[in-house]
Amino acid sequence: GRVLPYTEFLFTETTMAPINYYPRLRREYGQWALAVMICALVVIIVAVCTIFGLEGSTPTQNQHQLLGQETKTKKRPHKSRSSRAGLSFPVGRIASKLRKGNYAERISTSAAVMMAAVTEYLTAEVLELAGNAATVARKSRIIPRHIFLGVQTDEELSKYMDNIIFHQGGVLPQVIAPPKSKKKKVDETAK
């Protein structure tokens, strides 16, 4: 029969095909039989190498070091942006809210980190002052009144939150001086 063009390419006089080395096999068995025998030989060699661990296609880490090549590092577990920045507030959530809020056409990746850091700092300051106010009032639970008193006692925060109304915050306690009696004024004029 007619030989396929691919096998004609493999078994030409110019290529380094096994047919040039085994002319007797070519005459006796033909090209197809020779190709099948070579494939079987390759399969046997591969099987023996795999059984005895003689692969060699995957060098070990020590062989990579001897060759001066860098080894692949293991994948590190995923760390959130909050943990990378050392924050408790969610950087990813703030970033998505900034993007969805249409505040600007483009949002920097560090903008969310900065906003989370500032928000966390302000929250910690307010809670510390409110906790102090609760301790002074001998209470173990912070209520809106304590938050209001804590903010109003701090000079910078009271300027920052000047126009803010705290629900159930009340008013600042003031000591009102007793009114001066009119009798004293009259007595002083009499003298």
Side-chain angles (χ1 to χ4, degrees):
R2 175 89 175 112
V3 179
L4 297 174
Y6 181 69
T7 53
E8 282 179 356
F9 171 74
L10 283 177
F11 299 117
T12 57
E13 300 292 328
T14 57
T15 60
M16 294 293 292
I19 219 147
N20 296 331
Y21 297 105
Y22 303 107
R24 192 182 112 236
L25 289 174
R26 179 181 176 191
R27 274 182 265 125
E28 291 180 14
Y29 299 106
Q31 290 179 349
W32 288 107
L34 184 63
V36 169
M37 288 173 60
I38 292 172
C39 289
L41 183 63
V42 168
V43 168
I44 291 170
I45 291 172
V46 168
V48 168
C49 287
T50 349
I51 290 171
F52 293 111
L54 304 171
E55 290 177 0
S57 62
T58 55
T60 62
Q61 188 173 3
N62 294 338
Q63 289 171 342
H64 275 298
Q65 290 172 353
L66 289 175
L67 294 173
Q69 298 172 348
E70 293 183 19
T71 57
K72 291 183 180 178
T73 58
K74 293 181 180 177
K75 280 191 174 181
R76 287 179 273 135
H78 176 72
K79 283 184 87 175
S80 66
R81 286 189 277 178
S82 299
S83 63
R84 275 189 243 154
L87 298 172
S88 299
F89 275 43
V91 174
R93 185 174 296 173
I94 289 174
S96 66
K97 297 293 182 187
L98 281 173
R99 274 187 258 108
K100 289 179 184 173
N102 291 327
Y103 300 110
E105 217 173 285
R106 300 166 66 186
I107 304 290
S108 170
T109 54
S110 60
V113 177
M114 186 66 179
M115 191 170 214
V118 169
T119 310
E120 183 175 328
Y121 170 74
L122 286 174
T123 305
E125 281 290 316
V126 168
L127 284 176
E128 181 184 354
L129 292 168
N132 294 343
T135 306
V136 168
R138 295 182 185 162
K139 304 287 182 186
S140 60
R141 182 177 295 162
I142 296 175
I143 59 174
R145 171 80 176 157
H146 300 142
I147 296 173
F148 171 74
L149 290 174
V151 167
Q152 293 302 320
T153 55
D154 188 57
E155 184 182 340
E156 293 172 345
L157 281 176
S158 64
K159 283 182 187 176
Y160 180 67
M161 300 184 183
D162 190 27
N163 297 323
I164 294 178
I165 299 171
F166 288 91
H167 181 66
Q168 293 186 350
V171 294
L172 277 176
Q174 294 179 355
V175 177
I176 301 173
K180 294 181 181 178
S181 63
K182 294 180 182 178
K183 292 179 182 178
K184 288 183 181 177
K185 286 184 182 178
V186 173
D187 290 338
E188 289 176 2
T189 55
K191 289 183 181 181

